[in-house]
Amino acid sequence: MKKKLSGVSERSLATFATRARKAAGVKGQVQVLITSSAELRELNRRFRRKDKPTDVLSFPAIGDGEAGDIAISADIASENAYELGHSLDEELRILILHGILHLGGHDHETDGGEMEALESELRERLKLPSSLIERTHGANGKRAKARKQ
């Protein structure tokens, strides 16, 4: 974690990432970077040619033994947690799960709802609140500030 966050345990998030990776059937190590919106904006601009901050980015690994890397904006995660009425820790877990699904080859922008269904199922199994895709697409008609990947 580049940013120290009150009430968030790095060890607990690492344990969760391992559980989520296994639940999603993703093989290999996952590295998670929690940093600022400014850094996510730079990564988004550099790798996706989108000059704006985002909540989570996934970078699949090229080599064996690694699933890839996930970068998360602590600033956006904090805003969303507050707006949606759950803890920052829960929001980070939601973003980690979302990023892991992308590392597993899922793409909610092109798959016709398959990633959304899987994320919803895993969210329930892992006891997480509303999934990122559900709230982004307004399953209950209310759109959070969540930024699509």
Side-chain angles (χ1 to χ4, degrees):
M1 249 189 299
K2 265 192 172 177
K3 263 188 127 154
K4 288 291 180 199
L5 304 171
S6 177
V8 175
S9 162
E10 189 172 342
R11 181 180 215 160
S12 176
L13 287 180
T15 299
F16 173 79
T18 299
R19 282 185 36 228
R21 181 185 53 76
K22 289 177 180 177
V26 174
K27 296 192 183 329
Q29 294 288 73
V30 173
Q31 299 295 318
V32 179
L33 169 69
I34 299 173
T35 189
S36 67
S37 285
E39 188 162 358
L40 262 283
R41 179 181 186 152
E42 175 58 26
L43 291 169
N44 204 18
R45 185 192 61 71
R46 193 164 141 207
F47 293 101
R48 298 182 69 228
R49 300 192 196 316
K50 294 185 179 192
D51 191 15
K52 62 182 182 178
T54 189
D55 50 5
V56 59
L57 290 171
S58 298
F59 301 94
I62 297 169
D64 291 336
E66 298 288 323
D69 301 326
I70 299 170
I72 295 173
S73 166
D75 305 319
I76 295 172
S78 293
E79 289 172 22
N80 286 342
Y82 176 79
E83 262 189 36
L84 296 165
H86 55 251
S87 71
L88 175 57
D89 185 71
E90 287 175 312
E91 182 67 17
L92 293 169
R93 290 168 190 251
I94 290 167
L95 295 172
I96 288 168
L97 175 60
H98 188 82
I100 285 171
L101 290 174
H102 278 296
L103 293 179
H106 299 280
D107 186 354
H108 55 85
E109 293 180 5
T110 62
D111 73 1
E114 293 167 19
M115 181 175 169
E116 181 175 4
L118 178 58
E119 185 171 336
S120 181
E121 175 190 320
L122 292 174
R123 176 186 43 85
E124 286 181 35
R125 192 182 322 164
L126 297 166
K127 299 181 182 354
L128 295 173
S130 173
S131 84
L132 182 62
I133 298 169
E134 286 173 349
R135 68 185 189 216
T136 300
H137 287 119
N140 64 2
K142 181 181 173 191
R143 180 178 165 87
K145 276 189 177 178
R147 291 150 176 95
K148 287 194 328 185
Q149 180 175 3

